[in-house]
Amino acid sequence: MDFADFVALIDETRRLHPWWLAGFEPMRATEEDLDHVRRELSISLPADYLRFMSEIGGGAFGFMDIFPARSDSPQCDDVVAVNSQSRCPANFYAFAPVGTGDLWGFSRDGDEAIDGVFFLDHEDGSLTSEGMGFLDFLAANALRPR
């Protein structure tokens, strides 16, 4: 899914189910916020993720929470704080909580995050591919009830 299709899906969701996105107060990331994340975590991030964070933003989004890139978030931890915790292995970049202590994020190959979403099991540290990229994952999980 490209970004234009994703934005069209958001618009359609707002039209058909306005309450699903009601109250969403996005925390859009500035280029300085994103530079801070990349620098602090020594990581290159997928283009779709960076665009989502700057144009739509982190926080409560549909049926998911997305860790914001801004460190001034009153709602939740930001990505630097979460990814600096010992529960995040060096080969993983967390972008969303599952709600059970587990996390969703990207697999890391050195200093590069790969655009494919993974599930991190907090009990055994295993990573399981969700089989889709970031925008497809959000479309399937944040914009549709389970």
Side-chain angles (χ1 to χ4, degrees):
M1 173 176 297
D2 68 18
F3 203 81
D5 291 337
F6 184 72
V7 170
L9 180 60
I10 292 171
D11 292 342
E12 179 183 3
T13 300
R14 281 194 175 113
R15 185 176 54 76
L16 296 174
H17 310 285
W19 58 93
W20 288 2
L21 294 169
F24 173 55
E25 297 179 24
M27 290 172 272
R28 290 182 186 90
T30 64
E31 191 58 38
E32 292 79 24
D33 295 327
L34 296 172
D35 284 344
H36 173 75
V37 170
R38 290 185 283 241
R39 189 175 51 256
E40 287 297 311
L41 300 175
S42 301
I43 193 167
S44 170
L45 294 159
D48 284 337
Y49 171 78
L50 293 172
R51 189 167 179 190
F52 176 88
M53 295 304 285
S54 65
E55 293 185 24
I56 297 172
F61 179 70
F63 295 95
M64 289 184 68
D65 291 324
I66 308 295
F67 297 127
R70 293 178 18 201
S71 60
D72 63 345
S73 167
Q75 295 177 336
C76 57
D77 288 335
D78 64 88
V79 292
V80 171
V82 170
N83 283 282
S84 298
Q85 297 173 1
S86 61
R87 71 180 177 151
C88 282
N91 66 336
F92 186 74
Y93 174 88
F95 63 73
V98 175
T100 59
D102 302 322
L103 298 165
W104 282 305
F106 302 115
S107 175
R108 287 181 69 148
D109 183 12
D111 63 353
E112 183 178 355
I114 309 304
D115 185 18
V117 176
F118 282 78
F119 171 86
L120 171 67
D121 185 306
H122 77 282
E123 291 184 12
D124 63 14
S126 64
L127 295 179
T128 304
S129 174
E130 294 288 340
M132 58 186 89
F134 180 68
L135 295 178
D136 289 312
F137 177 79
L138 291 184
N141 292 280
L143 297 179
R144 292 184 176 84
R146 291 186 167 222

